[in-house]
Amino acid sequence: MRKIILLFAVGLLALASVLVFRTLQNGPAASSAPVRVPVEMIQVDAAQTAAHLSQAIRFKTISTQDRSQFDPAVFTAFQQWMAVSYPDFYAAVTTQTVLGSTQLNTWTGSNPALDPVVFLAHQDVVPADSSKNSGWEKPPFAGVIEDGFIWGRGAIDDKGSLIALLEAANVLAASGYQPERSILFAFGHDEEVGGSGAQSVAALLKSQNIHPWAVIDEGGAITTNMPDVAAPVARIGVAEKGYLTLILTARAKGGHSSTPPKITALGELSRAIAAVEAHPFEQKLDKVTRAMLRVTASADEIGFFKRLVVSNLWLFGGVVEAQMKQSNSGAAMLGTTIAPTIVHAGTKENALPREAQAYINFRLASRD
């Protein structure tokens, strides 16, 4: 019995030694501190920036699944406003229109031997219901500025990024700044429905044998209450999920709602949607999410206990996965997501639809 207890104690000590050793390997070290190069920060007018974003939101640059509803005149008006609002930027760049409404702006650098940097943003937004009981606290296309916030469709996705780029670049251009490396600003018009504008820009650059040194996109969400850092963290995206939308169609006999069949098209479609949602994809850590967590494990903001957990995912992986599943953003990092988004059926309340359709959007993890 004493030997068993001794062996157990030795094993426990060995385990603790391994855990602590791996944790210390990920700890912040003075020798690994990044070299900080002094950067002169530009100053922008915060009130003017907010006003510009508010004005940008008022342009209903909407992308819909039905491409016939696309209104190029709104995008033209928006781009005219951009040119008037940011005159120094547009005086410094060469502007091309790609695929009708996508804009490619090239700020030519002084050293043509250097590959350019590309900044991406998109002008379009998804539709928003402006009716009284739509759930919006403020009108979605009014650009209300209140209590330190700018309200409206596109304030984050993605006119916030678009205006930030324009504000910074306009200040630099007004100062006489000349980049050494060329800078390209690509502003897509249909990112929300497939991004054919961005694809056309990529094809154009390829045809001109232009190979970007870096491409900076709009970025992802700011996570909170994650296993590594509870505070808000702007994650660096190192991979992107795939995109797939499937359409489920159910058909049944039509007729009057007073004499419905046992199985209606809508009822059958509802059961199909429920069945899809009842079979989620596996949610687990993979090499990408593990690497992401390991990177933040060396940050000063991480306490020893959290660093120990994140540094030893071989043992605590299940605990970390359970915590990530507590939030929608955390769960989404663990695998493919399933989201029914659109349902079409019926045209009158007392008439049975012959057909019902549902759109189900999947964001595909690389392993799936």
Side-chain angles (χ1 to χ4, degrees):
M1 184 65 180
R2 182 177 297 177
K3 184 179 292 186
I4 293 175
I5 294 174
L6 181 61
L7 289 174
F8 178 77
V10 171
L12 193 60
L13 180 61
L15 175 61
S17 299
V18 170
L19 295 179
V20 171
F21 175 74
R22 291 173 62 91
T23 302
L24 294 177
Q25 281 188 314
N26 280 325
S31 60
S32 63
V35 177
R36 300 190 183 276
V37 178
V39 176
E40 184 179 350
M41 302 297 291
I42 64 173
Q43 298 297 318
V44 298
D45 186 325
Q48 177 180 278
T49 301
H52 280 161
L53 178 53
S54 173
Q55 293 166 28
I57 290 169
R58 296 171 200 163
F59 289 89
K60 298 182 180 181
T61 50
I62 297 171
S63 285
T64 64
Q65 297 295 134
D66 183 355
R67 303 300 176 89
S68 67
Q69 296 182 19
F70 179 79
D71 186 358
V74 176
F75 286 80
T76 298
F78 181 47
Q79 291 173 15
Q80 290 172 345
W81 171 85
M82 289 159 59
V84 171
S85 301
Y86 301 101
D88 295 299
F89 169 74
Y90 281 97
V93 301
T94 300
T95 301
Q96 294 174 264
T97 299
V98 180
L99 206 66
S101 297
T102 284
Q103 193 178 88
L104 176 62
N105 300 289
T106 302
W107 195 347
T108 303
S110 59
N111 187 349
L114 298 177
D115 291 327
V117 172
V118 180
F119 287 96
L120 302 179
H122 59 91
Q123 309 162 64
D124 61 315
V125 300
V126 296
D129 185 354
S130 299
S131 62
K132 183 177 180 180
N133 297 317
S134 64
W136 282 85
E137 294 182 39
K138 309 292 181 185
F141 294 104
V144 173
I145 301 176
E146 188 175 289
D147 298 328
F149 291 92
I150 304 165
W151 299 72
R153 177 64 88 204
I156 296 177
D157 187 11
D158 182 42
K159 287 180 177 174
S161 296
L162 176 64
I163 296 303
L165 288 172
L166 289 170
E167 291 286 338
N170 194 68
V171 170
L172 286 173
S175 72
Y177 173 78
Q178 173 63 46
E180 181 181 8
R181 187 188 299 273
S182 291
I183 307 174
L184 278 58
F185 300 83
F187 302 147
H189 73 280
D190 62 349
E191 189 271 350
E192 298 290 358
V193 289
S196 61
Q199 293 173 35
S200 296
V201 168
L204 176 63
L205 297 182
K206 184 177 180 180
S207 71
Q208 297 175 349
N209 201 32
I210 295 174
H211 304 283
W213 180 73
V215 179
I216 314 299
D217 203 354
E218 64 186 271
I222 295 178
T223 63
T224 57
N225 199 31
M226 290 283 285
D228 52 352
V229 186
V233 174
R235 303 282 177 178
I236 297 175
V238 295
E240 187 167 3
K241 286 184 170 181
Y243 185 101
L244 172 68
T245 295
L246 298 181
I247 302 175
L248 302 183
T249 302
R251 296 183 177 90
K253 289 184 177 182
H256 199 276
S257 61
S258 62
T259 56
K262 291 183 178 179
I263 299 178
T264 64
L266 262 175
E268 190 68 16
L269 181 66
S270 299
R271 281 187 283 272
I273 295 172
V276 172
E277 288 191 319
H279 294 82
F281 287 78
E282 183 180 25
Q283 291 183 306
K284 65 178 183 180
L285 293 169
D286 57 22
K287 64 179 182 180
V288 175
T289 47
R290 288 173 181 268
M292 176 192 73
L293 293 171
R294 281 197 296 270
V295 167
T296 53
S298 60
D300 292 332
E301 292 79 5
I302 306 294
F304 180 81
F305 177 73
K306 284 191 173 183
R307 184 175 293 119
L308 183 145
V309 170
V310 173
S311 301
N312 294 279
L313 294 174
W314 61 274
L315 180 61
F316 299 113
V319 175
V320 171
E321 289 171 355
Q323 184 174 347
M324 291 180 69
K325 290 176 183 178
Q326 298 303 308
S327 70
N328 292 335
S329 58
M333 293 182 184
L334 295 175
T336 295
T337 56
I338 303 171
T341 54
I342 300 175
V343 174
H344 291 308
T347 56
K348 199 170 186 295
E349 65 188 68
N350 63 344
L352 296 169
R354 294 176 179 272
E355 183 176 283
Q357 283 189 334
Y359 288 65
I360 303 183
N361 184 248
F362 298 82
R363 300 302 172 98
L364 304 168
S366 57
R367 64 175 180 270
D368 296 327

